[in-house]
Amino acid sequence: MPAEESRESLRDKQIACLKRILSLNEDPNSDVLKNGLPWKVLVYDDLGRSVISPVLGVSDLRALGVTLHLHISSTRAPIPDVGVVYLVEPTAANLKAITNDLQKGLYDTAYINFLSSIPRPLLEDFAAQTAATSTSEMISAIFDQHLNYISLEPDLFSLAMEKEHTYYALNSAVTTDEALAAMVEKIVNGLFSVVATMGVLPIIRCARNSAAEMIATRLDRRLRDLYLSQKDNMFGNRQTSSPASRPVMILCGREVDLVPMLAHSWSYQSLLYDVLKVHLNRVTLETPIDPQNPARGNTKKTYDLESTDYFWQENACLPFPLAADNIDRELSKYKEETSQLMKNTGVTNFEDLENENNANAQHLKNVVHQIPELQRRKKTLDNHMALLTAILGEIQARHLDNFFQLEENVVKQTKAQVLELIKGDGKPGDKLRFFIIWYLSTEQDVARQEWLHFDEALKEAGCDTTCLTYIRQVRATTKMTQLTTVNNAGSSAQQQAGSSRLFDRFSNLTAGLTDRLKETGVPTHALSSNVASLLGGIKNFLPVDKDLTVTKLVEAVMDPSNGNTQALEKTEGWLYFDPRSSTARGTMPQASALRAQAGNSAVPGGLPGVPGPGTGASFGQRRQGFSEAIVFMVGGGSMEEYSNLKDWAARPGSTRKITYGATELINASTFITEELGKLGHEIPK
């Protein structure tokens, strides 16, 4: 595979697949479509809409000939002269809806694209339905597209399994074998689609006796069967590609480290997902119509984090103060460029340039082409200024900078200091998050009486402590798997000095930031009267340079010669799957056989029993190293973890490429309420 192709991101490849689908499964640049794309209607279900929304906008769909896009469950009027492209999951309900559309003659020709492989029984039922209604001739083609995952960033994806509550289900004693098997199968289908889109055949590594092992076993068998039977060479050169030249897929259970799911972060992207409402790269802000009269309600405004958003691409993973600094610089740069442009043309605003009656229009042709780009930049900066303002308001209201600073050195906090913080300022949810992080991280023993004092203090602070019974139960095992380390502990003084220099510069420019907000039309009533006073209250520090547990495990697999000793010990016994092997691995035991010995599980979420069909890695396999990895979290992913992996992969001299994915991406409050809280309910106090 050419180097430039191997560096193409998962999102790029998914977009290419979607464009091919909307080009009626022809290459958009082929001679077949040289006369232009035919007009068509796009019909999708919930997952189909979620797949398209983050990567293709309305203008993109129009460019691909889509005149109308509708949900399959909506009431749709007939458009008999136009073809239809379906992008749906292969379910009985969707197949019935398609059959009804064909029977009613809503569209001319149907191109049916399933997001995952349609089971043979469903396909046979669908064939019987179309035969019974005499509509089979209206179907032009049926495809399994393997796109049942959501690309949120070039190297970030989710299987959108929020409704399955995977962490809860995998750790709950009441989850049935059938539900567990269905969940594992859905995860395998999603990962198979990711691999198919990337066109690679990865080595798979995972821990023993865990849900990850069940997933790895099934995925290995499915990939190997396809590889041995394929004729279209989906996975590249069958003869010359060595294991070291292929990516490694690292499957980790969420139980290896709960802290990133709860931590208060300081990066722009992590703060955005933590404190604002974000869904499918769309941020929704609610602001009061009249701050003096809350009864009038709120107004909502949405902002899309588009793939073409240059500011987001450059600043998402930066510490929040740096991102705020950069947006001010960008606004200053924009203002200087527009002022110079208007000075050169002799006009006072863009409307004069666009007015065709202007007497000097013929002299302005050389600058008119700059206007659309400048306007796009202005809109992007206005959007991020609005998001900046909202995040600053949350930092002020919730004292998030204080929580973040304390969590950076959480193991140094004494019991008295933790109790004081619980009784001090802050929102209940933030206090609960801090306490859980401290409890999971500290080396101090917490006696039963002390635990009751903490529990009582949290309740008095307004916290729902239901989840704590579960946290107390899993503390011992999670501490065994946590590997977070500071990369250069001796540089703390330099870190603080650098932070102070940053904030000295930052404070100098914030005096005019309120005016910036007014210029962009962003409401500032949620903030202090002067933004500088707010920013001046934020602690003068930058995040400590540290690697989280999952980053350490990934490093041990990808770069064992430089790996952390503890991480190498953890991964030493991990299973090794190579789907190119023609030797059958056998099958996993039934879930009931594994769960029967649940009391012997080494880790929460573990599925004990006889060893799985994967093999232990040889010494050479353990030390071979990889330049590319797909890191997948079973039980929920974290933006903090994603950012940490990106930082590790981008270190000077590195050529590593990391793609991060998870069963679902949820914020801390949702994880506590929907996962930990439910588990706490099941444990007697």
Side-chain angles (χ1 to χ4, degrees):
M1 185 181 294
E4 59 271 16
E5 183 181 346
S6 66
R7 306 305 292 183
E8 191 177 12
S9 72
L10 175 63
R11 183 170 67 180
D12 291 336
K13 293 185 176 183
Q14 188 186 53
I15 290 173
C17 290
L18 290 171
K19 287 183 175 180
R20 189 190 67 245
I21 290 170
L22 296 176
S23 301
L24 308 183
N25 287 284
E26 298 283 352
D27 184 341
N29 300 316
S30 68
D31 293 337
V32 177
L33 302 175
K34 61 184 177 181
N35 295 324
L37 290 166
W39 296 111
K40 64 191 76 70
V41 175
L42 172 62
V43 175
Y44 43 60
D45 60 2
D46 288 341
L47 182 58
R49 177 172 55 194
S50 296
V51 168
I52 292 174
S53 294
V55 294
L56 294 177
V58 174
S59 60
D60 298 316
L61 295 178
R62 291 290 171 85
L64 292 164
V66 176
T67 58
L68 199 60
H69 48 95
L70 301 164
H71 196 278
I72 194 168
S73 65
S74 64
T75 302
R76 288 169 278 125
I79 312 178
D81 296 330
V82 176
V84 59
V85 174
Y86 290 96
L87 187 63
V88 296
E89 291 187 273
T91 64
N94 284 340
L95 294 176
K96 184 176 181 181
I98 293 172
T99 303
N100 290 338
D101 289 352
L102 299 175
Q103 194 171 12
K104 294 175 184 177
L106 294 187
Y107 311 107
D108 180 29
T109 304
Y111 299 83
I112 302 172
N113 299 274
F114 294 118
L115 291 164
S116 59
S117 296
I118 181 171
R120 187 172 184 82
L122 275 181
L123 185 61
E124 291 175 352
D125 288 345
F126 183 54
Q129 292 176 33
T130 55
T133 55
S134 302
T135 55
S136 56
E137 70 280 357
M138 299 177 66
I139 301 175
S140 178
I142 299 177
F143 295 93
D144 290 338
Q145 296 292 358
H146 304 299
L147 291 174
N148 53 325
Y149 61 91
I150 298 170
S151 294
L152 298 171
E153 297 285 338
D155 44 16
L156 173 67
F157 71 93
S158 166
L159 300 188
M161 295 179 66
E162 290 84 358
K163 293 181 180 179
E164 281 81 358
H165 302 292
T166 56
Y167 184 81
Y168 164 74
L170 290 170
N171 290 276
S172 172
V174 301
T175 303
T176 64
D177 290 344
E178 293 76 13
L180 180 64
M183 182 179 298
V184 168
E185 187 63 24
K186 186 170 183 178
I187 295 171
V188 170
N189 284 338
L191 290 176
F192 179 86
S193 293
V194 169
V195 170
T197 303
M198 297 178 75
V200 297
L201 196 65
I203 302 295
I204 305 172
R205 300 294 308 273
C206 70
R208 297 177 182 271
N209 299 331
S210 65
E213 180 181 353
M214 294 182 68
I215 295 164
T217 302
R218 285 165 169 75
L219 181 61
D220 167 67
R221 173 167 287 278
R222 187 167 174 184
L223 289 173
R224 183 173 7 89
D225 290 346
L226 178 65
Y227 173 74
L228 294 175
S229 64
Q230 68 169 324
K231 298 179 181 179
D232 58 358
N233 211 22
M234 177 188 292
F235 297 120
N237 193 307
R238 299 167 62 95
Q239 307 299 328
T240 62
S241 181
S242 65
S245 67
R246 292 152 54 195
V248 59
M249 177 177 282
I250 301 171
L251 303 182
C252 289
R254 183 68 272 162
E255 66 275 359
V256 300
D257 190 9
L258 295 180
V259 170
M261 298 297 292
L262 305 169
H264 293 88
S265 180
W266 203 233
S267 74
Y268 182 25
Q269 184 178 50
S270 298
L271 273 169
L272 191 75
Y273 275 81
D274 187 11
V275 305
L276 303 181
K277 295 180 180 179
V278 187
H279 181 63
L280 299 178
N281 285 356
R282 172 164 289 181
V283 187
T284 302
L285 296 185
E286 293 188 22
T287 55
I289 297 174
D290 183 357
Q292 306 302 323
N293 184 12
R296 294 189 60 189
N298 296 330
T299 180
K300 291 184 180 181
K301 190 171 182 180
T302 60
Y303 302 87
D304 292 324
L305 302 172
E306 300 175 343
S307 58
T308 56
D309 187 334
Y310 77 96
F311 187 85
W312 180 250
Q313 292 175 0
E314 295 172 1
N315 293 273
C317 291
L318 291 182
F320 179 72
L322 286 177
D325 191 355
N326 288 342
I327 199 168
D328 188 88
R329 292 174 182 272
E330 286 292 326
L331 284 168
S332 297
K333 181 180 177 183
Y334 167 82
K335 191 171 183 179
E336 290 172 4
E337 290 181 11
T338 54
S339 297
Q340 187 63 41
L341 181 64
M342 288 186 288
K343 180 180 178 181
N344 292 341
T345 56
V347 297
T348 56
N349 55 57
F350 287 151
E351 285 70 20
D352 290 342
L353 290 175
E354 295 173 334
N355 187 348
E356 64 182 6
N357 295 323
N358 190 301
N360 296 321
Q362 63 273 22
H363 304 296
L364 306 177
K365 291 181 180 179
N366 63 325
V367 296
V368 168
H369 72 278
Q370 300 180 45
I371 298 174
E373 176 59 28
L374 286 170
Q375 289 176 329
R376 282 193 291 270
R377 280 176 56 194
K378 180 63 161 56
K379 181 181 178 182
T380 296
L381 296 176
D382 286 353
N383 289 349
H384 284 285
M385 185 59 81
L387 299 178
L388 162 74
T389 308
I391 293 174
L392 283 175
E394 290 294 317
I395 291 174
Q396 179 188 37
R398 294 167 53 178
H399 307 281
L400 296 181
D401 53 317
N402 188 47
F403 282 104
F404 172 73
Q405 186 182 33
L406 291 172
E407 289 170 14
E408 287 285 88
N409 297 290
V410 69
V411 294
K412 297 180 180 179
Q413 305 300 315
T414 65
K415 297 173 186 177
Q417 289 173 322
V418 173
L419 199 60
E420 182 181 356
L421 182 138
I422 293 172
K423 296 178 179 180
D425 296 333
K427 297 292 181 68
D430 296 312
K431 294 178 180 181
L432 180 61
R433 288 164 62 179
F434 172 78
F435 173 74
I436 295 174
I437 292 169
W438 172 79
Y439 182 67
L440 292 176
S441 304
T442 185
E443 298 295 334
Q444 305 171 61
D445 291 327
V446 179
R448 177 174 176 78
Q449 196 61 36
E450 292 173 322
W451 174 265
L452 293 175
H453 286 159
F454 283 124
D455 186 71
E456 182 180 353
L458 287 166
K459 288 178 179 177
E460 290 178 355
C463 302
D464 181 353
T465 61
T466 306
C467 67
L468 292 185
T469 51
Y470 173 76
I471 293 297
R472 192 178 186 190
Q473 176 177 292
V474 301
R475 181 196 186 200
T477 49
T478 55
K479 279 186 66 61
M480 288 192 299
T481 58
Q482 284 179 285
L483 299 170
T484 303
T485 57
V486 176
N487 291 322
N488 190 353
S491 66
S492 58
Q494 297 176 6
Q495 190 85 18
Q496 295 301 324
S499 300
S500 298
R501 287 194 296 272
L502 166 69
F503 273 85
D504 287 342
R505 185 176 77 250
F506 195 43
S507 297
N508 290 334
L509 59 89
T510 54
L513 190 53
T514 303
D515 293 333
R516 296 274 192 215
L517 296 172
K518 292 177 180 177
E519 288 175 9
T520 58
V522 176
T524 60
H525 44 67
L527 300 178
S528 301
S529 57
N530 191 304
V531 179
S533 65
L534 169 60
L535 294 173
I538 297 177
K539 300 294 187 297
N540 293 348
F541 59 85
L542 291 176
V544 173
D545 182 19
K546 64 182 179 182
D547 289 337
L548 299 179
T549 296
V550 170
T551 302
K552 286 293 183 186
L553 295 174
V554 170
E555 181 183 46
V557 173
M558 292 187 71
D559 188 14
S561 61
N562 295 311
N564 175 276
T565 302
Q566 286 182 295
L568 288 170
E569 292 174 356
K570 298 291 182 185
T571 58
E572 193 79 2
W574 277 20
L575 295 174
Y576 183 100
F577 297 85
D578 184 352
R580 284 193 172 180
S581 170
S582 59
T583 305
R585 305 283 196 209
T587 58
M588 276 295 286
Q590 292 294 319
S592 56
L594 295 175
R595 295 168 66 84
Q597 304 177 49
N600 299 323
S601 178
V603 295
L607 297 175
V610 297
T615 63
S618 67
F619 180 81
Q621 290 169 337
R622 293 196 303 269
R623 296 294 184 267
Q624 69 186 44
F626 298 88
S627 61
E628 182 176 356
I630 304 166
V631 181
F632 185 79
M633 301 303 301
V634 181
S638 157
M639 282 296 175
E640 175 76 354
E641 211 163 52
Y642 166 63
S643 297
N644 195 252
L645 278 167
K646 285 191 68 175
D647 289 343
W648 174 76
R651 284 177 187 162
S654 171
T655 58
R656 294 180 286 256
K657 179 183 177 184
I658 301 288
T659 299
Y660 179 85
T663 48
E664 65 262 65
L665 292 166
I666 53 179
N667 63 19
S669 60
T670 302
F671 187 68
I672 290 175
T673 304
E674 300 295 333
E675 315 296 329
L676 302 181
K678 288 182 178 180
L679 290 168
H681 272 296
E682 295 182 6
I683 301 173
K685 294 186 178 181

